[in-house]
Amino acid sequence: MRLAELSRRSGVSTATIKYYLREGLLPPGRQINTTTAEYDDEHLRRLRLVRAMIQVGRLPVATVREVLRNVDDESLGRAIRLGAALWALPQVPEPDEEDEYVQSAHREADKLLETLGWSNARLLTTISPAYRSLVVAVAAFRRLGYDWGAELLVEYGKLMHEVAKLDVDFVETHPSEAEKMETAVLGAVLTEPMLQALRRLAQEEESGRRYGFE
Amino acid sequence: MRLAELSRRSGVSTATIKYYLREGLLPPGRQINTTTAEYDDEHLRRLRLVRAMIQVGRLPVATVREVLRNVDDESLGRAIRLGAALWALPQVPEPDEEDEYVQSAHREADKLLETLGWSNARLLTTISPAYRSLVVAVAAFRRLGYDWGAELLVEYGKLMHEVAKLDVDFVETHPSEAEKMETAVLGAVLTEPMLQALRRLAQEEESGRRYGFE
């Protein structure tokens, strides 16, 4: 398809598509002659991904480029490639390793992964931003003197594992490796606000069941 | 306890405590004489909550004041009071009701709540920010042409209901009504980043189990 059709089918203006092409967020089309290029379904899919990251996820262009570089890196195995694409997404600030709450949060997070039997995740603790996010969150609880029990974290962890199985199952329904990667990134950008909304709605439901709305 | 001890036990500087007092985020202490006031455990708890909202949740002072006003409103029933406190937290932008994707997202969200049997949450759809957040998230999927199936949303909803039961169970372990309200707000501010971290770690675990890290 030509640029005009790509624009029509994606709902993205031709000016924006040209901007993405210049910024290297979209691979160039197949040049037919000096003024015309031909685009295909791969461009359409990539455009959808870029739009999701920029318009919904509000990610800066440099971050989008970094995520895509990992999505496209065929030298990596699937699990690492998936992780690398997600790890390029914005993360919480780094934990301050000198802080005593951060140090005990590390011990608590390690214990949690052990209790949950997440032996693969444990292999990644030195490099995974998700692990560092968990440490930051646990340290914040403890610094506030919040007595959230270790058992409760285990229960949340088990439920999040069920969520992750649905996530990975959905990624697997896509045939090509490229689509799997793109779906994983789209899922991370789009489903986090959705799960948060569902959790709050479920809290309203559960409060209403237990206490009624009077 | 005096101001100095409140500062020591809370880890919040006396200057910051005085600022919170002036801004009405902390109720005044019991005046012993013209220069000295006495504070109690209720002040300590309230200080922890204010700090969590400002330092961890990065909420503006006006929002914190609004949340606290609802936390303290004893004229409301428990479910509504809980909801009102959480509803004052920052929410996603309002859905554009003229947009065709938003209109069909409303139908999809209503169908989802019906399928899940969340009849209490359905009573609140005209006023609940969580419902509007869900509509915005579903509309974003659809606008991108993302074929996330309705069945998958139902599965996520069921798991989030299990999460919400843990949330409400934990709130109920606190004896007084005031502590229940404070815990619900702290939970919303502190546990969302934690659940997100756990979900990403669980995705790494699940990818590692299915594909290995090579």
Side-chain angles (χ1 to χ4, degrees), chain A residues 13-196:
Chain A
S13 72
T14 56
T16 302
I17 295 176
K18 283 178 183 168
Y19 169 69
Y20 291 164
L21 284 164
R22 274 199 309 278
E23 289 288 330
L25 304 183
L26 199 64
R30 196 169 50 85
Q31 212 66 34
I32 301 182
N33 57 48
T34 47
T35 56
T36 315
E38 179 77 13
Y39 302 90
D40 58 22
D41 283 347
E42 225 167 288
H43 289 94
L44 199 56
R45 273 199 347 251
R46 180 55 53 104
L47 207 44
R48 184 172 77 173
L49 178 62
V50 169
R51 228 172 123 217
M53 287 195 276
I54 290 179
Q55 293 182 1
V56 183
R58 307 197 176 285
L59 303 186
V61 166
T63 304
V64 171
R65 197 183 292 117
E66 168 79 8
V67 171
L68 293 176
R69 208 167 50 80
N70 290 309
V71 163
D72 292 334
D73 186 348
E74 294 179 6
S75 72
L76 302 171
R78 188 189 288 171
I80 289 291
R81 197 169 156 200
L82 269 175
L86 297 176
W87 293 352
L89 294 173
Q91 309 290 342
V92 296
E94 292 295 309
D96 170 9
E97 301 294 345
E98 299 296 304
D99 182 292
E100 59 172 312
Y101 290 103
V102 168
Q103 289 166 0
S104 71
H106 269 291
R107 289 190 293 275
E108 195 169 341
D110 293 343
K111 186 81 199 331
L112 175 65
L113 296 188
E114 193 186 331
T115 308
L116 286 165
W118 290 2
S119 50
N120 289 287
R122 286 173 75 196
L123 293 174
L124 304 175
T125 54
T126 53
I127 51 172
S128 160
Y131 174 79
R132 292 199 294 277
S133 301
L134 179 64
V135 167
V136 168
V138 171
F141 285 131
R142 299 309 172 206
R143 190 171 295 116
L144 290 162
Y146 203 41
D147 55 353
W148 203 279
E151 305 74 27
L152 188 54
L153 283 181
V154 173
E155 294 307 312
Y156 281 121
K158 285 180 188 163
L159 288 170
M160 287 303 109
H161 194 178
E162 295 307 309
V163 168
K165 285 179 192 167
L166 293 177
D167 295 334
V168 182
D169 282 347
F170 183 68
V171 166
E172 285 189 351
T173 61
H174 292 78
S176 77
E177 208 66 16
E179 281 173 279
K180 283 187 175 69
M181 297 302 137
E182 291 176 358
T183 304
V185 174
L186 271 172
V189 172
L190 293 178
T191 68
E192 280 165 7
M194 187 202 68
L195 281 189
Q196 183 174 316

Side-chain angles (χ1 to χ4, degrees), chain B residues 4 6 8 11 18-19 26 31 45 48 50 60 63 72 75 90 95 113 116 134 143 186 189 200:
Chain B
L6 184 64
R8 193 180 53 73
K18 283 178 183 168
Y19 169 70
L26 198 63
Q31 211 67 34
R45 277 199 344 253
R48 184 173 79 175
V50 169
T63 304
D72 292 334
S75 71
L113 296 187
L116 286 165
L134 178 65
R143 190 172 295 116
L186 271 171
V189 171
R200 290 196 183 176

Side-chain angles (χ1 to χ4, degrees), chain B residues 52-79:
Chain B
M53 287 195 276
I54 290 179
Q55 293 182 1
V56 184
R58 305 198 178 283
L59 304 185
V61 166
T63 304
V64 171
R65 196 181 293 118
E66 168 80 8
V67 171
L68 293 176
R69 210 167 48 80
N70 290 310
V71 163
D72 292 334
D73 187 348
E74 294 179 7
S75 71
L76 303 171
R78 189 188 289 171

